[in-house]
Amino acid sequence: MEASANVTLDMLEISLSSGQGVKFLQSKNIEVKNCIISKCASCGIMTFECENEKISHNEITDIGMYDFSAIAIHAGGKSLLVYVLDGKKEEKGQSIIEYNTIDNAPYCGITCNGGPHIIRFNKITNCMTKLHDGAAIYCSRANKTIALGNYVTKGPKLPKAHAIYFDELSEDCVVDGNFAVDIFVPFLTHMAKRIVYKNNIAVSEDDIKLHFLKSYSLKWHNNIIQSKGNINFVFSHFVHEEYTLEQFIELENNVLSCESSAVIYDPSGTCETKDKDAILNHPGVLLTDKKVRTENQCVFVDHKLNDIEIKALVEKVLY
């Protein structure tokens, strides 16, 4: 649909599309809900330069049958061209992406640029099966966007596969209460400012890396990272600039649990082991070699997971 307004798509079943399952262009006040979309050649749901949109309670599986850059849900107002031309981050409206279930996408699960948008309570599995430089949830140019209570698991175990990724020009966003299971790089911030990470949990059978690249004035509060391998904090700065850990990130009341007891602080971005004590001795970090028991549960359990799934996931963290 193009140049449409006040449109709702509800309880549709779409399969074997030769392109996208649902596509809106330059429309406003649109809603896509309770739809089942599968086996599309390209994206599942795609909106482009739309104003005020809500995408909720959809099941999207096995998309990108022919297009390996396909995204399960793409939304978020302005295109990069419009942003460059008008120079304003603010959107005319807002995108809300919530309570969707996504499984098996060759590239990202959800992409949403600009802001302020809300991405909450989505369950995302098996993304980036073909292309690995994105994320289950990817945002660029994000402005006051909130990622709340999302659950991500079963991604490829590769250095460029991420759960939540805030990219260039993102500012003043919040990543709250998300749960990443067996994702090698659960959180990545690149060329962004003032991103707040709080109440998130990441657990993995292998190493975990947390990437904060060319990003500053971040906050990392009340997060739990549990790994059976190493936990590696990787920071990098622009050429000819040098920053202290405090300028990169504010650490407060975080728990790191790793059986190898190796937490690495790498301010160079080269993954070399150096300045290890900067993280280990920081008052905002508690390091333990035991599994974590805490009352700080993720809000992802508001998602429509069944009781067995919820019990298994919570027990994995609160063992």
Side-chain angles (χ1 to χ4, degrees):
M1 294 189 181
E2 185 172 1
S4 302
N6 306 314
V7 176
T8 297
L9 303 182
D10 188 6
M11 298 183 68
L12 301 179
E13 292 191 20
I14 301 171
S15 184
L16 300 174
S17 165
S18 61
Q20 293 85 11
V22 173
K23 184 176 182 179
F24 280 95
L25 299 177
Q26 297 177 334
S27 299
K28 63 181 180 179
N29 303 328
I30 59 176
E31 184 172 7
V32 183
K33 61 182 181 179
N34 303 312
C35 295
I36 299 174
I37 301 172
S38 64
K39 295 183 173 61
C40 295
S42 188
C43 300
I45 299 172
M46 179 178 180
T47 71
F48 190 71
E49 293 185 1
C50 292
E51 178 182 335
N52 287 329
E53 52 195 358
K54 186 174 183 180
I55 301 171
S56 67
H57 297 93
N58 301 288
E59 295 182 14
I60 303 171
T61 58
D62 301 320
I63 57 98
M65 302 290 284
Y66 293 100
D67 177 6
F68 290 164
S69 63
I71 296 162
I73 298 175
H74 172 76
K78 291 180 183 178
S79 67
L80 179 59
L81 176 59
V82 171
Y83 169 74
V84 170
L85 290 176
D86 71 15
K88 298 178 181 178
K89 288 189 176 183
E90 293 76 12
E91 304 281 358
K92 292 182 179 179
Q94 184 180 57
S95 299
I96 299 176
I97 305 171
E98 62 182 7
Y99 296 101
N100 299 285
T101 299
I102 295 168
D103 181 55
N104 198 22
Y107 200 25
C108 300
I110 295 172
T111 59
C112 189
N113 303 324
H117 304 310
I118 299 174
I119 306 168
R120 61 189 175 195
F121 306 130
N122 299 285
K123 179 184 177 183
I124 306 172
T125 59
N126 292 314
C127 287
M128 294 167 290
T129 58
K130 298 295 184 182
L131 301 180
H132 310 301
D133 62 335
I137 298 173
Y138 173 88
C139 302
S140 69
R141 298 178 282 113
N143 178 44
K144 298 182 176 70
T145 289
I146 298 172
L148 172 66
N150 301 284
Y151 166 58
V152 180
T153 189
K154 295 183 181 177
K157 295 182 179 180
L158 296 169
K160 290 188 177 181
H162 317 97
I164 299 177
Y165 181 174
F166 277 84
D167 204 358
E168 299 180 34
L169 302 177
S170 295
E171 296 182 353
D172 303 307
C173 299
V174 177
V175 182
D176 185 2
N178 300 280
F179 196 173
V181 178
D182 290 330
I183 305 295
F184 185 52
V185 184
F187 304 110
L188 168 65
T189 307
H190 175 242
M191 295 178 66
K193 298 178 181 178
R194 299 184 299 278
I195 310 298
V196 177
Y197 292 87
K198 61 181 182 178
N199 307 318
N200 301 288
I201 298 179
V203 297
S204 178
E205 299 291 324
D206 299 305
D207 292 351
I208 287 179
K209 289 191 176 182
L210 305 165
H211 286 186
F212 309 98
L213 309 179
K214 298 181 173 66
S215 300
Y216 311 101
S217 302
L218 309 176
K219 292 185 178 181
W220 187 265
H221 294 177
N222 303 308
N223 300 290
I224 298 172
I225 308 299
Q226 179 176 295
S227 168
K228 285 192 174 180
N230 296 325
I231 299 174
N232 193 329
F233 284 75
V234 180
F235 298 85
S236 71
H237 48 71
F238 291 98
V239 178
H240 307 308
E241 293 183 355
E242 299 224 357
Y243 289 83
T244 64
L245 176 62
E246 288 71 23
Q247 289 172 305
F248 279 124
I249 195 165
E250 176 185 288
L251 297 167
E252 182 178 303
N253 196 31
N254 300 284
V255 177
L256 308 179
S257 175
C258 51
E259 292 187 2
S260 68
S261 296
V263 178
I264 302 166
Y265 165 49
D266 177 17
S268 68
T270 59
C271 297
E272 299 172 356
T273 304
K274 59 174 65 176
D275 297 331
K276 179 177 177 180
D277 291 344
I279 295 291
L280 295 183
N281 295 333
H282 195 283
V285 171
L286 170 65
L287 177 66
T288 173
D289 61 355
K290 304 296 183 183
K291 290 196 174 182
V292 176
R293 175 171 290 278
T294 177
E295 299 301 321
N296 178 21
Q297 298 183 16
C298 284
V299 292
F300 84 93
V301 295
D302 283 348
H303 191 279
K304 57 179 180 180
L305 299 175
N306 63 50
D307 291 341
I308 296 175
E309 287 178 301
I310 292 174
K311 185 175 184 295
L313 291 170
V314 173
E315 284 184 351
K316 185 166 186 177
V317 175
L318 305 181
Y319 173 77

